[in-house]
Amino acid sequence: MSDIRHPYLDSPAPIAFAHRGGTADGLENTAWAFRRAVDLGYRYLETDVHLTSDGVLVAFHDASLDRVTDAGGRIADLPWSEVGRARVAGREPVPLFEELLEEFPEARWNVDTKSDAAVEPLVEAVRRAGAWDRVCVGSFSEARLVRARALGGSRLASSLGTRGVADLRLLSRGGRAAERLLLAAARRRGAVCVQVPERAYGIRVVDPAFIAAAHRLGMQVHVWTINDEARMHALLDLGVDGIMTDRLEALRTVFTERGVWA
């Protein structure tokens, strides 16, 4: 195994991630949801970030407010004064990402940057909070990850991008010479983990060869979003290093049954 390491991953594996803080009562990505997750014993919290029209970084999944709040409109088109009045499930405010870093100083955050505009404010928020050890940045956009790593350098933990994931799956079948090439690419990218669904476009992503290749390159494998207890057990049996779930009690039960709940 290589020496690609980061303090973000200082917890014994496997890691339980509270995806969007859990989806209880429809209150995803709210301070209430994250408090509940922490109270249940979760140390790793997953969220997403967008930037308002006047440059405020908010923790929110969708590009618009329509699905989960009592307001509407695209976040990128709205000032914070309007986004701040919206209520998730008609009840909880949309949180500022920096406020979450402050309220949960012991938590580790897995952050999906959902827009190009959010990348620099996200890295700047991590810098201001001195939270380099507590944040891992991910994105479906390779360009956003490249930009985040350029801004944060080796201090910033990140997951492997979509191109790197495709390379890893392909090269996991290709022997040690291919792995050496991937290791060099992984070092350039600065990834400390790979975060993937079980399947994508009908193709199985997570299998023993994929996990073994990631481990030989020093990267953990985290799988999202798993809400079925049988699948949780199956993935842990395969040797994955982390599971993201909306069903917090279910994952905690599975980890407890296996003696790995930290």
Side-chain angles (χ1 to χ4, degrees):
M1 183 178 289
S2 77
D3 60 353
I4 300 175
R5 285 288 180 238
H6 192 279
Y8 178 81
L9 297 173
D10 68 358
S11 174
I15 296 171
F17 290 87
H19 184 248
R20 304 184 201 171
T23 57
D25 300 325
L27 293 168
E28 65 179 54
N29 273 329
T30 62
W32 181 92
F34 295 122
R35 288 184 203 111
R36 179 175 177 273
V38 169
D39 288 345
L40 285 170
Y42 280 79
R43 185 186 180 204
Y44 283 77
L45 310 174
E46 190 273 349
T47 192
D48 316 89
V49 290
H50 285 275
L51 200 68
T52 66
S53 64
D54 52 348
V56 176
L57 191 68
V58 297
F60 201 81
H61 178 268
D62 297 1
S64 76
L65 298 171
D66 300 61
R67 180 178 65 90
V68 299
T69 81
D70 56 7
R74 288 177 54 84
I75 291 174
D77 298 332
L78 299 172
W80 167 242
S81 59
E82 291 188 39
V83 175
R85 288 197 295 269
R87 292 294 179 266
V88 178
R91 183 180 124 189
E92 294 294 319
V94 175
L96 302 177
F97 178 66
E98 286 196 72
E99 289 182 350
L100 295 177
L101 286 178
E102 182 178 352
E103 181 172 350
F104 304 98
E106 302 302 319
R108 300 294 165 95
W109 292 92
N110 203 91
V111 185
D112 187 349
T113 177
K114 291 293 190 181
S115 70
D116 295 346
V119 174
E120 189 166 349
L122 171 59
V123 176
E124 180 60 19
V126 174
R127 186 198 64 77
R128 282 196 298 267
W132 300 110
D133 294 353
R134 298 197 287 124
V135 174
C136 179
V137 175
S139 179
F140 286 107
S141 166
E142 196 80 38
R144 290 175 201 156
L145 287 172
V146 169
R147 178 62 177 153
R149 291 167 187 145
L151 292 166
S154 62
R155 300 170 297 178
L156 183 69
S158 65
S159 59
L160 207 60
T162 50
R163 185 174 60 197
V165 170
D167 288 346
L168 179 60
R169 188 183 183 282
L170 179 64
L171 296 178
S172 67
R173 274 74 176 165
R176 292 304 179 96
E179 286 181 13
R180 283 195 293 271
L181 294 175
L182 184 59
L183 175 57
R187 287 187 185 279
R188 289 195 300 271
R189 293 183 176 115
V192 300
C193 57
V194 53
Q195 298 178 332
V196 290
E198 275 194 276
R199 293 178 178 273
Y201 306 106
I203 299 171
R204 183 166 187 83
V205 177
V206 181
D207 62 17
F210 183 87
I211 295 169
H215 286 176
R216 282 194 292 271
L217 298 180
M219 290 184 287
Q220 291 194 1
V221 178
H222 306 151
V223 187
W224 49 264
T225 303
I226 309 301
N227 294 325
D228 178 76
E229 293 182 33
R231 296 311 309 150
M232 295 172 187
H233 279 293
L235 287 165
L236 291 169
D237 288 342
L238 278 180
V240 303
D241 305 286
I243 291 177
M244 299 188 189
T245 189
D246 300 316
R247 298 183 58 217
L248 306 190
E249 289 88 352
L251 185 59
R252 185 175 70 166
T253 295
V254 168
F255 272 44
T256 300
E257 288 174 353
R258 300 174 72 99
V260 295
W261 181 253

